[in-house]
Amino acid sequence: MDAELTQSILDAVEAGFEEQVAFTEDLIRFPSLRGQEQDAQRFLGKALGDRGYDVETFAIDLDKIHDHPGFSPVTVDYSAALNVVATHLPRASKGKSLILNGHVDVVPEGPHDMWKVSAPYEPKRDGDWLHGRGSGDMKAGIVANIFALDALRRLGLQPAAKVHIQSVVEEECTGNGALACLVEGYTADAAIIPEPEDEKLVRANTGVLWFEIEVSGHPVHVREAGTGANAIEASFRVIESLKRLCEDWNGEKANYPYFETEDHPINFNVGKIEGGDWASTVAAWCKLHCRIAIYPGDDPKDRARQIEDHLASNLAGDSFLGNRPPKITWNGFFARGYVLEENTEAEQTLAAAHRQATDKELTSFVTPSYLDARVFVIYADMPCLVYGPISEDIHGFDERVSLSSIKRVTGTIALFIAEWCGLEEIMPNKETT
């Protein structure tokens, strides 16, 4: 593109930015926790429909995805787990097709009295920052996708190729939302996911396993505590055993390209503990909700088996757990990691757009977290560019996203669309795409 058109697109992003921030604030106000995403999805579906896109809203169909190699096991009801996909169809397809993806689900906010700037779902601007649960992870990114297209429309232009705008659920726990879109037939020549990655491109990303561990104890009255076995206390020994396994896996990092120089690529976390029935009774049960990372190329089934075998052998000599081993249930992420091939045409296009929007060179990095990009890269052989705004305290208190960064990222996405998809004029007297 010539310099004049590039600047016109960036100016169009600027012209719509206050509206974009207000739209992001409206989206933050929906507490779209797992199982509660429907209102936010309907809001997005209406906004996309009002723009003239063909909109499909559908619930994840377990029967369709259950046997897919990218499926993560779940026990929750998916009848209200809604995905939204809006589709732009050009008059004549001349460019390369694109998926603009983002997840609307957010993680629990924790105690509200520990949020100091504002309540979790009451967005607040503070200088360059927009606060609120999901502001960075990743409602600002979803809105950036939409308003990048809006900026082109403001100039009377639209993509000269098919574009799918996806708002999915289940990214924070299984990845089954993005997988369901793929199984429904939504594919393209490339995808962009504006996760909060500090205006960098994700080169590689770990896979993730979620599992529950049930520890059984022997309950007695507290006056006879020495004759029983406390399941809560025994669970501490399970945790320490898994920490040792985690360090063993970190010791393997030299075998995995892009991870050999990472300080600690494999992280284990106990995110939730439940247990016991009564303060004066030695705890009869305890349940641990756990998460651990795996390297790209690892088969989740193999790593899951390693966890099971490790606990069986490592706790065999435990005076209590050796005779009553903990029970493991795989319930959530069962996801592979991925590596993004270097220097694809899609990456080159993003690098050029980033340079034009920010006056900086695009850099890439490795992240030890889960990303839905694995669905596109592994199972659709599609370059997926995870690139989004600067944020702080995602999954924590006072989550916030940089407004100036959102603007730059939106400009980058708009320029990417213009180059990747090509542009055509919107038909006279026709406001829709």
Side-chain angles (χ1 to χ4, degrees):
M1 292 186 300
D2 60 45
E4 183 178 354
L5 178 56
T6 295
Q7 190 58 52
S8 295
I9 292 172
L10 294 177
D11 289 345
V13 170
E14 174 74 38
F17 192 64
E18 278 304 309
E19 181 186 353
Q20 179 177 348
V21 175
F23 190 101
T24 306
E25 291 173 333
D26 288 342
L27 190 56
I28 291 169
R29 291 187 178 95
F30 292 99
S32 51
L33 297 158
R34 189 185 197 188
Q36 302 174 38
E37 306 97 341
Q38 301 93 325
D39 288 344
Q41 292 291 64
R42 293 188 183 101
F43 169 79
L44 287 167
K46 182 179 185 303
L48 291 162
D50 289 346
R51 284 163 166 79
Y53 300 115
D54 294 328
V55 178
E56 181 182 7
T57 300
F58 63 93
I60 298 174
D61 189 335
L62 273 176
D63 290 338
K64 289 184 178 180
I65 66 173
H66 186 272
D67 295 326
H68 192 283
F71 174 72
S72 293
V74 289
T75 57
V76 299
D77 179 18
Y78 270 170
S79 60
L82 303 180
N83 282 336
V84 174
V85 180
T87 300
H88 158 75
L89 294 173
R91 295 197 310 277
S93 187
K94 300 177 182 178
K96 292 179 283 294
S97 58
L98 180 65
I99 289 174
L100 298 171
N101 174 279
H103 69 88
V104 76
D105 53 313
V106 300
V107 300
E109 59 275 12
H112 286 205
D113 60 0
M114 298 184 74
W115 287 68
K116 303 304 182 185
V117 177
S118 67
Y121 301 109
E122 294 178 10
K124 181 177 180 180
R125 300 191 207 188
D126 181 17
D128 186 49
W129 296 102
L130 175 61
H131 290 258
R133 172 56 88 230
S135 56
D137 191 14
M138 60 163 292
K139 292 181 176 180
I142 290 178
V143 178
N145 284 338
I146 297 170
F147 276 75
L149 290 165
D150 282 1
L152 301 177
R153 291 158 64 95
R154 207 169 275 114
L155 299 174
L157 301 170
Q158 64 183 17
K162 183 186 293 186
V163 178
H164 298 302
I165 308 112
Q166 299 179 345
S167 176
V168 303
V169 296
E170 288 286 292
E171 193 273 351
E172 297 286 6
C173 46
T174 63
N176 287 340
L179 181 67
C181 286
L182 179 63
V183 171
E184 290 290 334
Y186 293 102
T187 61
D189 295 314
I192 292 178
I193 305 180
E195 288 272 13
E197 304 296 358
D198 296 342
E199 299 180 29
K200 301 176 185 178
L201 174 66
V202 175
R203 175 65 60 205
N205 159 246
T206 59
V208 172
L209 302 178
W210 267 19
F211 53 103
E212 296 175 355
I213 299 180
E214 296 178 56
V215 179
S216 297
H218 183 73
V220 296
H221 193 287
V222 69
R223 70 181 183 182
E224 300 161 351
T227 65
N230 192 308
I232 295 173
E233 293 179 2
S235 72
F236 300 161
R237 303 197 291 279
V238 175
I239 293 170
E240 291 305 315
S241 179
L242 288 171
K243 285 183 177 179
R244 290 191 290 272
L245 178 65
C246 179
E247 293 314 306
D248 290 344
W249 287 6
N250 275 289
E252 301 174 15
K253 65 182 182 180
N255 301 323
Y256 295 89
Y258 301 106
F259 288 87
E260 58 267 43
T261 59
E262 292 297 303
D263 180 49
H264 202 268
I266 303 301
N267 292 308
F268 165 72
N269 184 58
V270 181
K272 182 179 176 182
I273 298 178
E274 306 169 88
D277 301 298
W278 193 252
S280 293
T281 301
V282 171
W285 66 280
C286 184
K287 181 182 287 187
L288 308 174
H289 299 251
C290 305
R291 178 264 196 204
I292 195 168
I294 61 175
Y295 293 105
D298 287 350
D299 188 328
K301 293 179 181 178
D302 293 340
R303 287 300 193 180
R305 190 177 303 110
Q306 287 184 32
I307 291 172
E308 293 170 346
D309 292 345
H310 169 82
L311 287 179
S313 61
N314 197 245
L315 300 175
D318 187 279
S319 59
F320 181 77
L321 293 172
N323 296 315
R324 194 174 296 188
K327 177 184 175 183
I328 302 177
T329 301
W330 304 97
N331 185 23
F333 283 123
F334 211 71
R336 291 177 178 266
Y338 77 92
V339 173
L340 178 68
E341 180 184 348
E342 291 192 36
N343 207 33
T344 62
E345 184 181 358
E347 181 177 339
Q348 293 174 7
T349 303
L350 181 69
H354 172 82
R355 188 182 308 115
Q356 292 164 328
T358 69
D359 292 324
K360 295 179 181 179
E361 295 299 319
L362 180 66
T363 59
S364 62
F365 76 115
V366 171
T367 175
S369 62
Y370 171 82
L371 293 168
D372 271 344
R374 58 107 189 183
V375 170
F376 304 100
V377 173
I378 298 173
Y379 304 113
D381 194 25
M382 182 192 310
C384 183
L385 309 172
V386 180
Y387 163 90
I390 295 167
S391 67
E392 292 182 354
D393 298 317
I394 61 173
H395 288 219
F397 301 125
D398 299 318
E399 177 181 351
R400 62 184 190 171
V401 64
S402 165
L403 293 170
S404 58
S405 182
I406 295 170
K407 188 188 299 183
R408 290 190 294 271
V409 166
T410 306
T412 298
I413 296 172
L415 293 173
F416 179 95
I417 294 168
E419 184 66 30
W420 183 258
C421 301
L423 295 174
E424 63 183 18
E425 291 185 1
I426 297 175
M427 290 292 288
N429 302 320
K430 185 179 180 182
E431 296 181 355
T432 69
T433 55

Short mmCIF file of all heavy atoms in Angstrom, two decimals, residues 300-346:
data_model
loop_
_atom_site.label_atom_id
_atom_site.label_comp_id
_atom_site.label_asym_id
_atom_site.label_seq_id
_atom_site.Cartn_x
_atom_site.Cartn_y
_atom_site.Cartn_z
N PRO A 300 -0.33 -35.01 24.96
CA PRO A 300 -0.95 -34.91 26.29
C PRO A 300 -1.16 -36.27 26.95
O PRO A 300 -1.02 -36.39 28.18
CB PRO A 300 -2.28 -34.22 26.00
CG PRO A 300 -2.04 -33.42 24.76
CD PRO A 300 -1.09 -34.25 23.95
N LYS A 301 -1.48 -37.30 26.17
CA LYS A 301 -1.70 -38.62 26.75
C LYS A 301 -0.42 -39.16 27.39
O LYS A 301 -0.47 -39.78 28.46
CB LYS A 301 -2.20 -39.59 25.67
CG LYS A 301 -3.58 -39.27 25.14
CD LYS A 301 -4.00 -40.27 24.07
CE LYS A 301 -5.38 -39.94 23.51
NZ LYS A 301 -5.77 -40.89 22.42
N ASP A 302 0.72 -38.94 26.73
CA ASP A 302 1.98 -39.42 27.28
C ASP A 302 2.34 -38.69 28.57
O ASP A 302 2.78 -39.31 29.55
CB ASP A 302 3.10 -39.24 26.26
CG ASP A 302 2.93 -40.13 25.03
OD1 ASP A 302 2.20 -41.13 25.13
OD2 ASP A 302 3.52 -39.80 23.98
N ARG A 303 2.17 -37.38 28.58
CA ARG A 303 2.50 -36.62 29.78
C ARG A 303 1.52 -36.93 30.92
O ARG A 303 1.91 -36.98 32.09
CB ARG A 303 2.49 -35.13 29.47
CG ARG A 303 3.69 -34.65 28.64
CD ARG A 303 5.02 -34.92 29.33
NE ARG A 303 6.12 -34.20 28.69
CZ ARG A 303 7.38 -34.25 29.07
NH1 ARG A 303 7.73 -35.03 30.08
NH2 ARG A 303 8.32 -33.56 28.44
N ALA A 304 0.27 -37.16 30.58
CA ALA A 304 -0.70 -37.54 31.61
C ALA A 304 -0.31 -38.87 32.25
O ALA A 304 -0.39 -39.05 33.48
CB ALA A 304 -2.09 -37.63 31.01
N ARG A 305 0.13 -39.79 31.41
CA ARG A 305 0.55 -41.10 31.93
C ARG A 305 1.79 -40.94 32.83
O ARG A 305 1.91 -41.62 33.85
CB ARG A 305 0.84 -42.04 30.77
CG ARG A 305 1.05 -43.49 31.20
CD ARG A 305 1.26 -44.39 29.99
NE ARG A 305 0.14 -44.29 29.05
CZ ARG A 305 0.22 -43.71 27.85
NH1 ARG A 305 1.37 -43.19 27.44
NH2 ARG A 305 -0.84 -43.67 27.06
N GLN A 306 2.68 -40.03 32.48
CA GLN A 306 3.85 -39.78 33.31
C GLN A 306 3.45 -39.28 34.69
O GLN A 306 4.05 -39.66 35.70
CB GLN A 306 4.78 -38.78 32.64
CG GLN A 306 5.56 -39.32 31.46
CD GLN A 306 6.54 -38.29 30.91
OE1 GLN A 306 7.07 -37.47 31.66
NE2 GLN A 306 6.77 -38.34 29.61
N ILE A 307 2.47 -38.41 34.74
CA ILE A 307 1.99 -37.91 36.03
C ILE A 307 1.43 -39.05 36.87
O ILE A 307 1.74 -39.18 38.06
CB ILE A 307 0.93 -36.81 35.81
CG1 ILE A 307 1.60 -35.56 35.22
CG2 ILE A 307 0.23 -36.46 37.13
CD1 ILE A 307 0.62 -34.48 34.81
N GLU A 308 0.61 -39.87 36.26
CA GLU A 308 0.01 -41.00 36.99
C GLU A 308 1.09 -41.96 37.49
O GLU A 308 1.07 -42.39 38.65
CB GLU A 308 -0.98 -41.73 36.07
CG GLU A 308 -2.20 -40.89 35.72
CD GLU A 308 -3.05 -41.53 34.63
OE1 GLU A 308 -2.56 -42.48 33.97
OE2 GLU A 308 -4.20 -41.09 34.44
N ASP A 309 2.05 -42.29 36.61
CA ASP A 309 3.11 -43.22 37.00
C ASP A 309 4.01 -42.61 38.08
O ASP A 309 4.45 -43.32 39.00
CB ASP A 309 3.95 -43.61 35.78
CG ASP A 309 3.19 -44.44 34.76
OD1 ASP A 309 2.11 -44.96 35.12
OD2 ASP A 309 3.67 -44.57 33.62
N HIS A 310 4.29 -41.32 37.95
CA HIS A 310 5.15 -40.66 38.93
C HIS A 310 4.53 -40.70 40.33
O HIS A 310 5.21 -41.04 41.31
CB HIS A 310 5.40 -39.20 38.52
CG HIS A 310 6.05 -38.39 39.59
ND1 HIS A 310 7.41 -38.39 39.83
CD2 HIS A 310 5.51 -37.55 40.52
CE1 HIS A 310 7.69 -37.60 40.84
NE2 HIS A 310 6.54 -37.06 41.27
N LEU A 311 3.26 -40.35 40.43
CA LEU A 311 2.61 -40.35 41.74
C LEU A 311 2.54 -41.77 42.31
O LEU A 311 2.76 -41.97 43.51
CB LEU A 311 1.21 -39.75 41.64
CG LEU A 311 1.14 -38.22 41.44
CD1 LEU A 311 -0.31 -37.77 41.33
CD2 LEU A 311 1.83 -37.49 42.59
N ALA A 312 2.28 -42.74 41.46
CA ALA A 312 2.19 -44.12 41.94
C ALA A 312 3.52 -44.58 42.52
O ALA A 312 3.57 -45.21 43.59
CB ALA A 312 1.76 -45.04 40.81
N SER A 313 4.62 -44.27 41.84
CA SER A 313 5.93 -44.73 42.31
C SER A 313 6.47 -43.85 43.42
O SER A 313 7.05 -44.36 44.42
CB SER A 313 6.93 -44.77 41.15
OG SER A 313 7.10 -43.48 40.59
N ASN A 314 6.28 -42.55 43.31
CA ASN A 314 6.86 -41.62 44.27
C ASN A 314 6.19 -41.69 45.63
O ASN A 314 6.81 -41.41 46.66
CB ASN A 314 6.79 -40.19 43.72
CG ASN A 314 7.70 -39.23 44.43
OD1 ASN A 314 7.25 -38.29 45.07
ND2 ASN A 314 9.01 -39.45 44.31
N LEU A 315 4.91 -42.06 45.64
CA LEU A 315 4.17 -42.13 46.91
C LEU A 315 4.02 -43.56 47.41
O LEU A 315 3.36 -43.78 48.43
CB LEU A 315 2.78 -41.50 46.72
CG LEU A 315 2.76 -40.03 46.31
CD1 LEU A 315 1.32 -39.58 46.04
CD2 LEU A 315 3.39 -39.13 47.37
N ALA A 316 4.65 -44.51 46.72
CA ALA A 316 4.50 -45.91 47.12
C ALA A 316 4.99 -46.16 48.54
O ALA A 316 4.45 -47.01 49.26
CB ALA A 316 5.26 -46.81 46.14
N GLY A 317 6.01 -45.43 48.97
CA GLY A 317 6.54 -45.62 50.31
C GLY A 317 5.87 -44.79 51.38
O GLY A 317 6.25 -44.88 52.57
N ASP A 318 4.90 -43.99 51.01
CA ASP A 318 4.19 -43.17 51.98
C ASP A 318 3.34 -44.06 52.88
O ASP A 318 2.62 -44.96 52.40
CB ASP A 318 3.30 -42.16 51.26
CG ASP A 318 2.64 -41.15 52.17
OD1 ASP A 318 1.60 -41.49 52.78
OD2 ASP A 318 3.16 -40.03 52.27
N SER A 319 3.42 -43.82 54.18
CA SER A 319 2.75 -44.71 55.14
C SER A 319 1.25 -44.79 54.93
O SER A 319 0.64 -45.82 55.24
CB SER A 319 3.05 -44.24 56.57
OG SER A 319 2.61 -42.90 56.76
N PHE A 320 0.66 -43.76 54.39
CA PHE A 320 -0.79 -43.80 54.16
C PHE A 320 -1.12 -43.83 52.67
O PHE A 320 -1.86 -44.70 52.21
CB PHE A 320 -1.48 -42.60 54.81
CG PHE A 320 -2.97 -42.62 54.62
CD1 PHE A 320 -3.78 -43.46 55.39
CD2 PHE A 320 -3.59 -41.83 53.66
CE1 PHE A 320 -5.15 -43.51 55.20
CE2 PHE A 320 -4.96 -41.86 53.48
CZ PHE A 320 -5.74 -42.70 54.25
N LEU A 321 -0.54 -42.91 51.89
CA LEU A 321 -0.88 -42.82 50.47
C LEU A 321 -0.41 -44.03 49.68
O LEU A 321 -0.95 -44.33 48.61
CB LEU A 321 -0.28 -41.54 49.87
CG LEU A 321 -0.86 -40.23 50.39
CD1 LEU A 321 -0.06 -39.04 49.88
CD2 LEU A 321 -2.33 -40.08 49.98
N GLY A 322 0.58 -44.75 50.21
CA GLY A 322 1.03 -45.95 49.52
C GLY A 322 -0.03 -47.03 49.47
O GLY A 322 -0.09 -47.83 48.53
N ASN A 323 -0.89 -47.03 50.46
CA ASN A 323 -1.98 -48.01 50.50
C ASN A 323 -3.30 -47.45 49.97
O ASN A 323 -4.22 -48.22 49.67
CB ASN A 323 -2.20 -48.50 51.94
CG ASN A 323 -0.98 -49.23 52.46
OD1 ASN A 323 -0.41 -50.06 51.77
ND2 ASN A 323 -0.58 -48.92 53.69
N ARG A 324 -3.38 -46.14 49.89
CA ARG A 324 -4.60 -45.50 49.40
C ARG A 324 -4.20 -44.40 48.42
O ARG A 324 -4.24 -43.22 48.75
CB ARG A 324 -5.41 -44.94 50.57
CG ARG A 324 -6.84 -44.57 50.19
CD ARG A 324 -7.65 -44.15 51.39
NE ARG A 324 -7.81 -45.23 52.36
CZ ARG A 324 -8.62 -45.16 53.43
NH1 ARG A 324 -9.32 -44.06 53.65
NH2 ARG A 324 -8.70 -46.17 54.28
N PRO A 325 -3.77 -44.78 47.22
CA PRO A 325 -3.23 -43.79 46.27
C PRO A 325 -4.28 -42.78 45.84
O PRO A 325 -5.48 -43.10 45.78
CB PRO A 325 -2.76 -44.64 45.10
CG PRO A 325 -3.54 -45.91 45.20
CD PRO A 325 -3.76 -46.14 46.67
N PRO A 326 -3.85 -41.56 45.56
CA PRO A 326 -4.81 -40.54 45.11
C PRO A 326 -5.39 -40.89 43.74
O PRO A 326 -4.76 -41.56 42.92
CB PRO A 326 -3.95 -39.27 45.03
CG PRO A 326 -2.55 -39.75 44.93
CD PRO A 326 -2.49 -41.05 45.66
N LYS A 327 -6.60 -40.42 43.51
CA LYS A 327 -7.30 -40.65 42.26
C LYS A 327 -7.18 -39.41 41.38
O LYS A 327 -7.44 -38.29 41.83
CB LYS A 327 -8.78 -40.95 42.53
CG LYS A 327 -9.62 -41.14 41.27
CD LYS A 327 -11.09 -41.33 41.62
CE LYS A 327 -11.95 -41.41 40.36
NZ LYS A 327 -13.40 -41.53 40.69
N ILE A 328 -6.82 -39.60 40.11
CA ILE A 328 -6.65 -38.49 39.17
C ILE A 328 -7.77 -38.52 38.13
O ILE A 328 -8.07 -39.56 37.55
CB ILE A 328 -5.29 -38.57 38.46
CG1 ILE A 328 -4.15 -38.56 39.47
CG2 ILE A 328 -5.12 -37.41 37.48
CD1 ILE A 328 -2.77 -38.71 38.85
N THR A 329 -8.36 -37.35 37.89
CA THR A 329 -9.37 -37.19 36.85
C THR A 329 -8.92 -36.07 35.92
O THR A 329 -8.58 -34.97 36.37
CB THR A 329 -10.74 -36.82 37.46
OG1 THR A 329 -11.14 -37.84 38.36
CG2 THR A 329 -11.78 -36.66 36.36
N TRP A 330 -8.90 -36.35 34.62
CA TRP A 330 -8.52 -35.35 33.62
C TRP A 330 -9.77 -34.61 33.19
O TRP A 330 -10.66 -35.18 32.57
CB TRP A 330 -7.82 -36.04 32.45
CG TRP A 330 -6.64 -36.83 32.94
CD1 TRP A 330 -6.59 -38.16 33.21
CD2 TRP A 330 -5.37 -36.31 33.30
NE1 TRP A 330 -5.36 -38.51 33.70
CE2 TRP A 330 -4.58 -37.39 33.77
CE3 TRP A 330 -4.78 -35.03 33.27
CZ2 TRP A 330 -3.27 -37.23 34.20
CZ3 TRP A 330 -3.48 -34.87 33.69
CH2 TRP A 330 -2.74 -35.96 34.15
N ASN A 331 -9.85 -33.35 33.55
CA ASN A 331 -11.10 -32.61 33.37
C ASN A 331 -10.79 -31.16 33.03
O ASN A 331 -10.73 -30.30 33.90
CB ASN A 331 -11.94 -32.69 34.65
CG ASN A 331 -13.30 -32.03 34.48
OD1 ASN A 331 -13.79 -31.91 33.36
ND2 ASN A 331 -13.90 -31.60 35.57
N GLY A 332 -10.59 -30.89 31.75
CA GLY A 332 -10.23 -29.55 31.30
C GLY A 332 -9.14 -29.65 30.26
O GLY A 332 -9.09 -30.63 29.50
N PHE A 333 -8.29 -28.65 30.21
CA PHE A 333 -7.24 -28.62 29.19
C PHE A 333 -6.54 -29.97 29.04
O PHE A 333 -6.05 -30.55 30.01
CB PHE A 333 -6.17 -27.59 29.55
CG PHE A 333 -6.55 -26.17 29.29
CD1 PHE A 333 -6.54 -25.23 30.31
CD2 PHE A 333 -6.92 -25.75 28.02
CE1 PHE A 333 -6.87 -23.90 30.07
CE2 PHE A 333 -7.26 -24.43 27.76
CZ PHE A 333 -7.23 -23.50 28.80
N PHE A 334 -6.49 -30.45 27.80
CA PHE A 334 -5.72 -31.63 27.42
C PHE A 334 -5.11 -31.26 26.08
O PHE A 334 -5.36 -31.90 25.06
CB PHE A 334 -6.64 -32.84 27.33
CG PHE A 334 -5.98 -34.15 27.67
CD1 PHE A 334 -5.63 -34.46 28.98
CD2 PHE A 334 -5.71 -35.08 26.69
CE1 PHE A 334 -5.03 -35.67 29.30
CE2 PHE A 334 -5.11 -36.30 26.99
CZ PHE A 334 -4.77 -36.59 28.30
N ALA A 335 -4.33 -30.17 26.10
CA ALA A 335 -4.00 -29.44 24.88
C ALA A 335 -2.51 -29.46 24.58
O ALA A 335 -1.68 -29.28 25.48
CB ALA A 335 -4.47 -28.00 25.01
N ARG A 336 -2.19 -29.64 23.34
CA ARG A 336 -0.80 -29.57 22.87
C ARG A 336 -0.33 -28.12 22.80
O ARG A 336 -1.12 -27.20 22.62
CB ARG A 336 -0.69 -30.19 21.47
CG ARG A 336 -0.89 -31.70 21.42
CD ARG A 336 -0.83 -32.19 19.99
NE ARG A 336 -0.98 -33.63 19.89
CZ ARG A 336 0.04 -34.50 19.86
NH1 ARG A 336 1.28 -34.04 19.91
NH2 ARG A 336 -0.17 -35.79 19.77
N GLY A 337 0.99 -27.94 22.89
CA GLY A 337 1.59 -26.66 22.58
C GLY A 337 1.87 -26.56 21.09
O GLY A 337 1.68 -27.52 20.34
N TYR A 338 2.31 -25.40 20.64
CA TYR A 338 2.58 -25.24 19.22
C TYR A 338 3.80 -24.34 19.01
O TYR A 338 4.21 -23.59 19.90
CB TYR A 338 1.37 -24.63 18.50
CG TYR A 338 1.20 -23.14 18.72
CD1 TYR A 338 1.76 -22.21 17.84
CD2 TYR A 338 0.48 -22.65 19.80
CE1 TYR A 338 1.62 -20.85 18.05
CE2 TYR A 338 0.33 -21.30 20.02
CZ TYR A 338 0.90 -20.39 19.14
OH TYR A 338 0.77 -19.04 19.35
N VAL A 339 4.37 -24.45 17.83
CA VAL A 339 5.43 -23.56 17.37
C VAL A 339 4.97 -22.94 16.06
O VAL A 339 4.54 -23.65 15.15
CB VAL A 339 6.76 -24.31 17.16
CG1 VAL A 339 7.80 -23.39 16.52
CG2 VAL A 339 7.29 -24.85 18.49
N LEU A 340 5.05 -21.61 15.97
CA LEU A 340 4.67 -20.90 14.75
C LEU A 340 5.87 -20.88 13.81
O LEU A 340 6.96 -20.40 14.17
CB LEU A 340 4.24 -19.48 15.09
CG LEU A 340 3.86 -18.58 13.91
CD1 LEU A 340 2.57 -19.07 13.27
CD2 LEU A 340 3.72 -17.13 14.37
N GLU A 341 5.69 -21.40 12.62
CA GLU A 341 6.76 -21.41 11.62
C GLU A 341 7.26 -19.98 11.38
O GLU A 341 6.47 -19.03 11.30
CB GLU A 341 6.24 -22.00 10.30
CG GLU A 341 7.27 -22.05 9.19
CD GLU A 341 6.68 -22.55 7.90
OE1 GLU A 341 5.55 -23.07 7.91
OE2 GLU A 341 7.36 -22.39 6.84
N GLU A 342 8.55 -19.84 11.26
CA GLU A 342 9.14 -18.51 11.08
C GLU A 342 8.99 -18.01 9.65
O GLU A 342 9.01 -18.77 8.69
CB GLU A 342 10.62 -18.53 11.45
CG GLU A 342 10.88 -18.73 12.94
CD GLU A 342 12.33 -18.46 13.30
OE1 GLU A 342 12.94 -17.55 12.71
OE2 GLU A 342 12.85 -19.16 14.20
N ASN A 343 8.82 -16.69 9.55
CA ASN A 343 8.94 -15.96 8.29
C ASN A 343 7.92 -16.37 7.24
O ASN A 343 8.21 -16.34 6.03
CB ASN A 343 10.35 -16.12 7.71
CG ASN A 343 10.75 -14.94 6.84
OD1 ASN A 343 10.33 -13.80 7.09
ND2 ASN A 343 11.53 -15.21 5.80
N THR A 344 6.72 -16.74 7.65
CA THR A 344 5.66 -16.97 6.68
C THR A 344 5.23 -15.65 6.06
O THR A 344 5.55 -14.55 6.56
CB THR A 344 4.44 -17.63 7.33
OG1 THR A 344 3.93 -16.72 8.34
CG2 THR A 344 4.81 -18.96 7.98
N GLU A 345 4.47 -15.73 4.98
CA GLU A 345 3.95 -14.51 4.36
C GLU A 345 3.06 -13.75 5.33
O GLU A 345 3.08 -12.50 5.36
CB GLU A 345 3.18 -14.86 3.09
CG GLU A 345 2.68 -13.65 2.32
CD GLU A 345 1.91 -14.01 1.07
OE1 GLU A 345 1.77 -15.21 0.78
OE2 GLU A 345 1.42 -13.08 0.39
N ALA A 346 2.30 -14.49 6.14
CA ALA A 346 1.43 -13.82 7.12
C ALA A 346 2.26 -13.05 8.14
O ALA A 346 1.93 -11.91 8.50
CB ALA A 346 0.56 -14.86 7.82
#
